[in-house]
Amino acid sequence: MTVTPLRYGLNEADGTIGPRLLACDPPGGARVVEVFGDAATADHIAVVVPGNGHHLGNYFTSTEAHSPRSRGQLLLRTMQEIAPESRSAVVVWLGYHSPPEWYNAITNVPAYAGAQDLANLTHYLPRAAHLTLIGHSYGSTVAGLALASARAEDYVALGSAGMGAVRRSELGTGTRLWAAYGETDRIRLVPRVRVGRLGLGRGPLELGATRFGTGDIPGHCGYYAEGSESLLNIARIALGRYDEVTTALVSTRRRSSLTTSARPTELEAAA
């Protein structure tokens, strides 16, 4: 898959009368990158990478609570509530051609095609800011593939079916890896392999990520549920407040055999 590289630059909108875009395809295209808050002066910047089913055509019109824009705005509010003394910003990066349906996501081609544009964004954003990449579902594959050439202090994988890699060394060095799996998220059952253009690689827990608590969130799309332990932990990581992050052991009340530590269980390692 060949795509035109994104060119980043803040548009003329000031954020009060319209969206603040860092990049956007022409009408009929698929990609859009929007910032909430002032990224130029932020102490902490979180970059949200959505999964399949999202594109420019539904980005501004979707009113669902799990839409990328809603998630970005909610994460920024949560970061500001936790640390009002800090300057925070959130970038929603839909800078790749997201697979339209979950069954299209068995191929890693769109992830490879978009990974370098995501890495380029991390170098465009101010170097003084603490930067966190947050990939949900297929977005975690895109972000995982970007890590080798990206600048990020932290990486958070939410409901990941695979990081695009089969070895930790493929993810570069210097980035803390975090991961979350809700108790009712069946993504954990997806086989984690990579053979050529098929498969999304190994899961984040297999590659050394620390697992954090999610609380009682619903299914595969509940990681940003308002007020949830999952959302609070994502915000804490994005703010660098690591000692406040709760582990899966503390938060999980059911299926304790699957979540007794931050390391992968036998079931997860085999999935």
Side-chain angles (χ1 to χ4, degrees):
M1 172 184 270
T2 302
V3 296
T4 303
L6 289 173
R7 297 182 62 181
Y8 295 110
L10 195 61
N11 74 346
E12 296 300 321
D14 64 6
T16 60
I17 59 174
R20 303 185 72 194
L21 303 181
L22 294 179
C24 189
D25 278 342
R31 301 173 299 172
V32 56
V33 182
E34 183 178 14
V35 59
F36 296 101
D38 188 353
T41 62
D43 302 310
H44 304 278
I45 302 175
V47 179
V48 172
V49 185
N52 66 277
H54 304 291
H55 52 82
L56 178 57
N58 61 21
Y59 179 79
F60 290 106
T61 58
S62 176
T63 58
E64 304 261 343
H66 60 264
S67 71
R69 291 196 90 214
S70 296
R71 287 170 170 171
Q73 291 167 322
L74 178 57
L75 176 58
L76 178 59
R77 289 200 303 272
T78 304
M79 292 172 68
Q80 291 171 335
E81 289 169 1
I82 291 175
E85 73 285 358
S86 296
R87 294 169 295 184
S88 300
V90 173
V91 175
V92 178
W93 187 87
L94 187 50
Y96 74 110
H97 290 77
S98 167
E101 302 289 349
W102 65 267
Y103 48 78
N104 300 119
I106 62 171
T107 174
N108 52 49
V109 173
Y112 274 103
Q116 189 56 55
D117 276 328
L118 178 56
N120 291 344
L121 171 71
T122 68
H123 295 286
Y124 171 82
L125 295 171
R127 295 196 64 83
H130 165 241
L131 189 61
T132 303
L133 296 181
I134 306 167
H136 173 245
S137 195
Y138 194 86
S140 71
T141 308
V142 184
L145 289 169
L147 281 182
S149 55
R151 179 193 75 81
E153 281 69 39
D154 291 280
Y155 169 80
V156 179
L158 307 173
S160 177
M163 295 273 285
V166 294
R167 292 178 296 275
R168 176 63 178 86
S169 60
E170 295 178 62
L171 304 178
T173 59
T175 301
R176 301 176 192 86
L177 304 182
W178 305 82
Y181 287 98
E183 292 184 26
T184 59
D185 187 352
R186 296 185 179 181
I187 199 71
R188 71 172 75 228
L189 304 177
V190 174
R192 295 187 173 94
V193 298
R194 187 188 70 189
V195 180
R197 296 187 177 186
L198 297 178
L200 306 182
R202 301 179 74 184
L205 298 179
E206 299 171 82
L207 296 173
T210 298
R211 184 173 183 176
F212 62 86
T214 61
D216 190 18
I217 59 171
H220 184 57
C221 295
Y223 292 95
Y224 291 90
E226 187 167 5
S228 67
E229 184 174 359
S230 174
L231 177 62
L232 289 173
N233 278 333
I234 295 168
R236 290 162 181 158
I237 293 168
L239 290 164
R241 300 172 76 127
Y242 309 121
D243 59 341
E244 298 176 15
V245 177
T246 60
T247 66
L249 174 64
V250 172
S251 66
T252 303
R253 296 181 177 86
R254 300 185 299 274
R255 299 184 186 179
S256 59
S257 64
L258 296 180
T259 57
T260 52
S261 75
R263 297 183 178 275
T265 63
E266 292 181 4
L267 175 60
E268 291 164 335

